[in-house]
Amino acid sequence: MNAGRRMRLWSLIVEHASGGPVTVAHVCAAAVAATGVDRAAVTVVLPGALRETMYASDAVASELEELTLTLGEGPGVDAVAAGPVLVADLRAVWWLARWPMYAPAAGDAGVGAVFALPLRVGAIRLGVLSLYRGEPGELDIAQLADALMLADTACALLLDAAESDPGRVNGHRPEQAGPHHPEIHQATGMITVQLGVTAAVALTRLRAYAYAHERRLRDVARDVVARRLRFCPDDSEDRG
């Protein structure tokens, strides 16, 4: 049964590749088709590094990945640490309590269900495949099995790319959704000096500021690096 499923899914991936090299983008397209979701994204999450979105199927998926980066919470965060996170109804009280910032914001972005599947090989945790559905609803057993197998395929592609060139997938970059975030690393370092805190605390303050001001994390980071924004101790207001 697994061999038949693997062959069917690989045929679907190749169909989306249209004769070209298979990339993470084609795996995501196959995942959308096989599971009946509306959009998908693949994010790499390595120890000691920020999340990097390698592919997002549309602007909404990209926004949701940016939201996860900014808030530091959500299914995509939990999946990397603890395994698959299947959220059939993001409006359910349990999920609203678990992710008090992410769940309402994702709902406002038009998402009703999220299925976050870790990309891992043994003890190696590489990232997450996130599937988004506009309306609430579960994945059935067959759809979940397909999604898990496609997550393994995405993981294999990323590992293969890392061996040849850490910045590429099969020699191409068609699925890169946005630039990496050196400015966030730089801003975090500057805030550690300004506040005399650890890097983890500095990143938390940066995220809190971005959320409170309804801005993207990397945009706030750019202001810090350009010295348009300076962080002050907790008993003072951060000022530009």
Side-chain angles (χ1 to χ4, degrees):
M1 182 178 295
N2 282 344
R5 170 172 275 116
R6 187 175 294 107
M7 181 62 68
R8 172 173 57 81
L9 292 175
W10 184 250
S11 296
L12 185 59
I13 293 169
V14 170
E15 179 182 341
H16 282 285
S18 300
V22 170
T23 70
V24 171
H26 305 128
V27 176
C28 285
V32 170
T35 63
V37 299
D38 299 308
R39 50 191 53 92
V42 165
T43 303
V44 171
V45 187
L46 298 176
L50 290 168
R51 303 173 63 88
E52 296 289 355
T53 302
M54 300 305 295
Y55 172 79
S57 60
D58 60 16
V60 174
S62 182
E63 178 184 351
L64 291 163
E65 295 305 315
E66 184 77 25
L67 187 66
T68 300
L69 172 65
T70 298
L71 300 179
E73 68 174 36
V77 174
D78 290 4
V80 174
V85 179
L86 310 177
V87 183
D89 188 353
L90 199 56
R91 301 170 300 184
V93 173
W94 167 259
W95 302 119
L96 289 170
R98 187 175 183 86
W99 307 306
M101 296 184 292
Y102 174 89
D108 290 343
V111 174
V114 184
F115 311 101
L117 309 173
L119 308 180
R120 60 189 180 189
V121 177
I124 300 175
R125 298 178 179 180
L126 188 61
V128 61
L129 167 65
S130 297
L131 306 177
Y132 300 102
R133 178 178 284 160
E135 296 297 325
E138 298 180 349
L139 295 180
D140 62 31
I141 294 176
Q143 289 172 332
L144 178 57
D146 285 350
L148 291 169
M149 191 164 287
L150 288 166
D152 288 343
T153 303
C155 186
L157 284 173
L158 291 173
L159 286 173
D160 179 65
E163 290 181 358
S164 56
D165 183 342
R168 295 177 180 271
V169 174
N170 283 348
H172 298 269
R173 293 182 184 268
E175 65 286 276
Q176 183 69 33
H180 293 289
H181 308 299
E183 67 275 11
I184 299 178
H185 292 284
Q186 294 169 359
T188 300
M190 292 174 67
I191 296 169
T192 63
V193 175
Q194 293 170 7
L195 301 181
V197 297
T198 65
V201 172
L203 181 57
T204 298
R205 284 290 299 272
L206 189 65
R207 280 174 163 152
Y209 185 97
Y211 178 73
H213 291 81
E214 298 183 345
R215 298 183 62 195
R216 290 173 177 261
L217 185 65
R218 57 187 172 186
D219 292 338
V220 175
R222 289 191 186 105
D223 282 350
V224 174
V225 172
R227 304 185 189 281
R228 293 188 294 265
L229 173 65
R230 179 180 176 83
F231 280 71
C232 303
D234 290 338
D235 58 352
S236 303
E237 288 190 9
D238 303 321
R239 60 180 182 272

